[in-house]
C-alpha cells in the first residue's frame, strides 16, 4: 500500500488531474504533475509541476524517480513514456490499458474480439475502403480518426457515398474508423474502479446529453429500466476485468431505441460524466482513483442525493466574464472552476453540480444556475 505522505505522479495537467490532486492532497499525499505546459489546472494545485514533452524520456524518468506511483489523467501519452516511467515505479492503470484505449481501432478490435456489443465498424486507410465501408454499413455513418481524438474532434458524419472523397481528404493521411450511425434513445455511462486485488466498485448508471459532440449535462441516477442498468454495470465490470484495469475507468454507451446497449468508448481515467461524484458521493471518482492506484481499499460509492452536472465551456465568456454570483445564488449548486487562463469556445472551463431530492429538481437547478451565469 502506498500510504499518506507518499508522492503520486500524474501525467497530464488538465481538470481531471486537478480534481485528483485536490482529493489526494486532502488525504495527505503529495502530487507531482508533468505536461508540456505551465500554470496548468493540475499544476496550480500540485506540489511540483514539471514542464516537459511526453516524448522527453529523460524528464519522464526524472519525474518517475521522485514518486511512488504514476497515474494519468490524459490517455494520449505515448507508450514509450509509460515504459520509461515503469522502469522506476508502477504505472496504474498499466501501459497496455492505455495502448488499447488511446486508439479507436485497437479499442474496437479489442471490444469486438471479447464479444462486447458495439456498433458495426470498419478500418479506413484508403478512399476505396471508405467507399466500401459506406456501402456496407449504410448511411448515416460516422468517420472518426483512429488516434488522439476527444470531444468529437476528428469526427465527420456522412450521409452518402458522394461525401466520401472530401471526408477522406480531411483525414489528411490519418488512419480512421467508420462506424454505423446509432439512432440512440439515450447516452449513458458507467464510471467504475478496480483495485489491486481485483475488487470492483461502480457509481451506477449516469445519463448524458452531448451538445456539439461535447458532454453538456449528466444526471445520476439515470432514468432506466433496472435490467438495462444492471446490464450496463455487468458489461463495465467484465470490461475492467478483461483489461485488468487498476484505477478508474468510464464506459460510455448508446442505448438504442430497441433497448440494446452498445459500448461507444472507454476512458481509462476519471471522466467528465463522473464529476458529480465530487459533491454527491461518499467517495468521489478522484479519491477512488487515488485509492485504487495506491492499493488502498476502495471507498463507498454511495450517492448521497440525486445529482445533475452542467459543463461550463469557454463560449460563456463570449460577451465578457460570467456573472458568478448568479450561480452562487442557487443554494444547492456547487461551482467548480479549473483555473484555465484562456476561455476558448468549446474548452471545458468548469462545471456546476446540483443536488436535490430527485433528478428532475437537480437538473432544473443546475440549468437555472448555468443560465444565471450569462454576463
Ligand atoms: P465520441 O468521441 O466517439 O464519444 O463521440 C462523441 C459524441 O458523438 C457521442 O457521445 C455521440 O453523441 C456522437 N456519436 C459518436 N459516434 C456516434 C455514432 N456512431 N452514432 C451516433 N452518434 C455518435
Amino acid at each position: 500500500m502506498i500510504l499518506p505522505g507518499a508522492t503520486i505522479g500524474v501525467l497530464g495537467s488538465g481538470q481531471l488531474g486537478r480534481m485528483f490532486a485536490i482529493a489526494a492532497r486532502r488525504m495527505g499525499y503529495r502530487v507531482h504533475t508533468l505536461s508540456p505546459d505551465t500554470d496548468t489546472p493540475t499544476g496550480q494545485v500540485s506540489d511540483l509541476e514539471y514542464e516537459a514533452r511526453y516524448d522527453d524520456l529523460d524528464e519522464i524518468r526524472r519525474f518517475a524517480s521522485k514518486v511512488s506511483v504514476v497515474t494519468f489523467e490524459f490517455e494520449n501519452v505515448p507508450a514509450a513514456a509509460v515504459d520509461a516511467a515503469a522502469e522506476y515505479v508502477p504505472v496504474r492503470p498499466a501501459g497496455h490499458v492505455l495502448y488499447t484505449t488511446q486508439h479507436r481501432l485497437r479499442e474496437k478490435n479489442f471490444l469486438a474480439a471479447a464479444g462486447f456489443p458495439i456498433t458495426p465498424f470498419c478500418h479506413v486507410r484508403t478512399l476505396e475502403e471508405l467507399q466500401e465501408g459506406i456501402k456496407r454499413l449504410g448511411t448515416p455513418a460516422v468517420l472518426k480518426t483512429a488516434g488522439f481524438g476527444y470531444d468529437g474532434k476528428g469526427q465527420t458524419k456522412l450521409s452518402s457515398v458522394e461525401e466520401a472523397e472530401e471526408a477522406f481528404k480531411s483525414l489528411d493521411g490519418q488512419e480512421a474508423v467508420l462506424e454505423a450511425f446509432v439512432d440512440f434513445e439515450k447516452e449513458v455511462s458507467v464510471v467504475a474502479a478496480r483495485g489491486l486485488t481485483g475488487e470492483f466498485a461502480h457509481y451506477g448508471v449516469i445519463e448524458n446529453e452531448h451538445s456539439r459532440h461535447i458532454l453538456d449535462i449528466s444526471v445520476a441516477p439515470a432514468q432506466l429500466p433496472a435490467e438495462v442498468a444492471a446490464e450496463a454495470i455487468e458489461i463495465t465490470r467484465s470490461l475492467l476485468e478483461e483489461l485488468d484495469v487498476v484505477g478508474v475507468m468510464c464506459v460510455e454507451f448508446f442505448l438504442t431505441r430497441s433497448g440494446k446497449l452498445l459500448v461507444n468508448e472507454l476512458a481509462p481515467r476519471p471522466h467528465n460524466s463522473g464529476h458529480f461524484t465530487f459533491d454527491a458521493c461518499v467517495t468521489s471518482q478522484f479519491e477512488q482513483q487515488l485509492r485504487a492506484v495506491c492499493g488502498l481499499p476502495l471507498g463507498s460509492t454511495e450517492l448521497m442525493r440525486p445529482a445533475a452536472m452542467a459543463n461550463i465551456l469557454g463560449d460563456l465568456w463570449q460577451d465578457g466574464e460570467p456573472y458568478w454570483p448568479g450561480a452562487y445564488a442557487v443554494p444547492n449548486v456547487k461551482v467548480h472552476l479549473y483555473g484555465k487562463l484562456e476561455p476558448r469556445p468549446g474548452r471545458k472551463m468548469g462545471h456546476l453540480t446540483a443536488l436535490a431530492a430527485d433528478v428532475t429538481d437537480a437538473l432544473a437547478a443546475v440549468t437555472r444556475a448555468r443560465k444565471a451565469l450569462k454576463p
Side-chain angles (χ1 to χ4, degrees), residues 53-88:
R53 288 165 43 143
Y54 298 116
D55 58 5
D56 181 347
L57 300 185
D58 290 336
E59 201 57 11
I60 299 269
R61 287 190 181 96
R62 203 166 73 83
F63 163 79
S65 70
K66 302 281 198 296
V67 301
S68 297
V69 62
V70 167
T71 188
F72 45 85
E73 65 104 52
F74 169 73
E75 65 266 41
N76 294 330
V77 175
V82 174
D83 292 345
E87 290 167 19
Y88 292 86

Side-chain angles (χ1 to χ4, degrees), residues 135-168:
K135 283 183 208 145
R136 187 161 69 79
L137 301 178
T139 51
V142 187
L143 184 67
K144 303 178 177 181
T145 52
F148 299 94
Y150 64 96
D151 285 347
K153 292 195 171 68
Q155 284 194 26
T156 323
K157 189 171 165 186
L158 299 172
S159 338
S160 74
V161 78
E162 283 70 52
E163 290 170 23
E165 209 163 326
E166 197 182 328
F168 185 76

Side-chain angles (χ1 to χ4, degrees), residues 104 144 155 179-182 184 187 210 213 254 264-265:
R104 277 188 203 281
K144 303 178 177 181
Q155 284 194 26
E179 282 179 27
F181 185 79
V182 182
F184 54 79
E187 290 190 86
H210 292 77
H213 297 284
F254 297 122
N264 172 31
E265 230 183 356

